[in-house]
């Protein structure tokens, strides 16, 4: 397995890594600022949760009509354009007096644009790294994401204490501009992986092929649902601890970082293949303690331990790539990313609704219990599934046209 240091010697890895880091920081600071702004304006846990994870809800629409662009657009141009759109949209959200309805309309637009981002980015990562380099490369990206979230939520919390949410949104927009510049100047002008124009029909054909295998279906569901339900718990941090939400987010990011280091670097392949279900249970079970409304120090420990379980996605993505041909890698990873983010948005809305009717603590415990049940059900279904051979490139429907 390649070392982390060797990955940075791979052409184009470093600018892709740095551009993604800037976007993660922008999303972290901007999401916390927007959630705080909406909560202060409305006092609603539901609207606060949806404002932080709302763009994810639009991912399902993008995944059904736009996702073929992940393999049919030049990666450099697509990544730079997406970052620029987010810079503009985030700056608009900072306008004084902007109605809450307009904020959510902008979130919908940004979610549609973002539906392409995961497929383009991870497809390019899969392309520039050797076959055995994707998992350590993705692990390194996840670790970076954890560190950026720790720094972003800690910095965002401090800035919100000293400045207004709108100033933090402008800082987020500046970070998106920096990401666009790094990716435009640092990446080479690679051609699309697959010929033809992006279209809804091409998206549907490739999605149908990816969904045709029972083992891939179970892998996708495992990537989407347990993870998404736990993110529903995270969406209630602002309403659970309005003055310490940044601390809880930072603890979660630290736990995620530890899980990614362990799974992506310390465990050998044979040991990690059977860890998806145990890690998904680790991800959810600690949140059951929130039913007792723990004090902040106990809550922070629970969040940190639980977030180690996010390392399960590395194991699941490795299995997904084994069963997917190269020319569909971008769309396969984009479908994973869009489905995961969509489920996170749905779960944030569901968690917010439960919290609105009961309390944020109850909402977190309910979402965690749902995640445990889904994980156990998928594990039982997986034991009844016969192993399948990897999908051959010749069988793929997204052939050059």
């Amino acid at each position: 397995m390649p070392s982390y240091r060797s990955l940075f010697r791979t052409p184009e890895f470093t600018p892709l890594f740095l551009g993604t880091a800037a976007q993660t920081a922008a999303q972290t600071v901007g999401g916390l600022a927007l959630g705080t702004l909406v909560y202060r304006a409305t006092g609603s846990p539901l609207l606060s949760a949806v404002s932080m994870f709302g763009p994810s809800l639009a991912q399902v629409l993008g995944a059904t009509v736009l996702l073929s662009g992940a393999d049919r657009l030049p990666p450099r141009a697509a990544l730079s354009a997406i970052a620029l759109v987010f810079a503009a949209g985030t700056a608009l959200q900072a306008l004084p007096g902007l109605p809450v309805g307009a904020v959510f309309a902008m979130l919908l637009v940004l979610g549609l644009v973002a539906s392409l981002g995961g497929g383009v980015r991870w497809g390019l990562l899969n392309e520039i790294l050797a076959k055995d380099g994707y998992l350590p490369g993705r692990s390194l990206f996840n670790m970076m994401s954890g560190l950026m979230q720790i720094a972003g939520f800690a910095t965002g919390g401090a800035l919100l204490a000293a400045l207004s949410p709108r100033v933090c949104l402008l800082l987020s927009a500046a970070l998106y501009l920096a990401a666009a510049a790094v990716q435009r100047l640092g990446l080479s002008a690679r051609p699309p992986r697959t010929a033809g124009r992006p279209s809804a029909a091409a998206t549907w054909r490739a999605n149908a092929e990816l969904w045709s295998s029972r083992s891939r279906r179970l892998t996708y569901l495992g990537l989407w649902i347990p993870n998404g339900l736990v993110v529903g718990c995270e969406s209630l941090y602002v309403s659970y601890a309005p003055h310490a939400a940044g601390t809880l987010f930072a603890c979660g990011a630290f736990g995620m970082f530890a899980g990614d280091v362990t799974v992506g670097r310390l465990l050998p392949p044979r040991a990690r293949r059977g860890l998806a279900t145990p890690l998904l249970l680790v991800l959810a079970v600690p949140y059951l303690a929130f039913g007792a409304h723990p004090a902040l120090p106990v809550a922070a420990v629970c969040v940190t331990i639980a977030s180690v379980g996010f390392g399960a996605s590395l194991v699941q993505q490795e299995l997904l790539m084994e069963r997917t041909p190269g020319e569909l890698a971008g769309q396969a990873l984009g479908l994973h990313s869009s489905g995961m983010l969509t489920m996170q948005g749905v779960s944030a809305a569901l968690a917010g609704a439960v919290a609105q009717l009961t309390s944020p603590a109850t909402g977190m415990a309910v979402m965690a219990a749902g995640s445990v049940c889904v994980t156990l059900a998928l594990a039982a279904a997986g034991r009844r599934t016969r192993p399948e051979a990897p999908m051959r490139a010749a069988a793929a429907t997204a052939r050059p046209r």
Side-chain angles (χ1 to χ4, degrees), residues 216 321-324 388-392:
R216 279 196 302 276
M321 286 294 93
E322 288 178 0
R323 297 166 179 153
T324 304
E388 298 178 13
M391 188 169 73
R392 299 191 177 195

Side-chain angles (χ1 to χ4, degrees), residues 35-304:
T36 302
L37 183 68
V38 171
Y39 188 67
R40 289 179 182 177
T42 65
S44 170
L46 172 59
L47 293 179
S48 174
V50 174
S51 68
M52 291 189 70
F53 296 91
S56 304
L57 292 170
Q59 295 274 344
V60 65
L61 180 59
T64 57
V65 297
L66 300 175
L67 199 52
S68 62
D71 293 302
R72 290 175 166 81
L73 292 174
R76 183 179 69 176
L79 290 174
S80 302
I82 290 169
L84 288 173
V85 170
F86 265 82
T90 304
L92 288 175
Q93 290 170 345
L95 291 175
L98 189 67
V100 173
V103 170
F104 283 98
M106 181 59 62
L107 288 175
L108 175 63
V109 173
L110 294 180
L112 288 173
V113 174
S115 64
L116 273 176
V120 176
R121 180 176 297 106
W122 307 130
L124 178 59
L125 180 66
N126 189 60
E127 186 176 349
I128 65 179
L129 295 178
K131 184 177 181 181
D132 61 346
Y134 178 79
L135 187 135
R138 186 62 191 266
S139 170
L140 193 56
F141 270 78
N142 286 358
M143 290 162 54
M144 171 272 293
S145 177
L147 290 174
M148 286 295 102
Q149 289 181 38
I150 293 171
F153 284 126
T155 302
L159 289 173
L160 285 171
L163 304 170
S164 71
R166 289 188 171 85
V167 173
C168 294
L169 286 171
L170 292 176
L171 173 61
S172 174
L175 288 170
Y176 279 121
L177 286 175
V182 168
Q183 291 168 148
R184 179 66 180 83
L185 298 175
L187 297 174
S188 63
R190 288 173 175 263
R193 283 177 292 276
T194 301
R197 291 185 176 182
S199 68
T203 299
W204 276 100
R205 283 195 299 270
N207 283 347
E209 183 66 36
L210 292 168
W211 197 249
S212 64
S213 159
R214 175 180 168 85
S215 62
R216 279 196 302 276
R217 287 197 301 273
L218 291 176
T219 302
Y220 274 124
L221 292 175
L223 282 162
W224 296 343
I225 302 178
N227 172 306
L229 291 170
V230 169
V231 171
C233 300
E234 295 181 341
S235 73
L236 297 177
Y237 289 170
V238 171
S239 52
Y240 182 83
H243 301 294
T247 299
L248 293 179
F249 278 116
C251 288
F254 177 77
M256 184 175 68
F257 175 83
D260 285 329
V261 171
T262 302
V263 175
R265 192 64 197 160
L266 301 181
L267 294 178
R270 182 176 298 179
R272 66 174 175 254
R273 289 184 71 88
L275 287 180
T277 296
L279 285 169
L280 289 175
L281 292 175
V282 169
L283 181 62
V285 169
Y287 279 101
L288 297 175
F290 278 83
H293 206 296
L296 182 62
V298 177
V301 171
C302 291
V303 167
T304 303

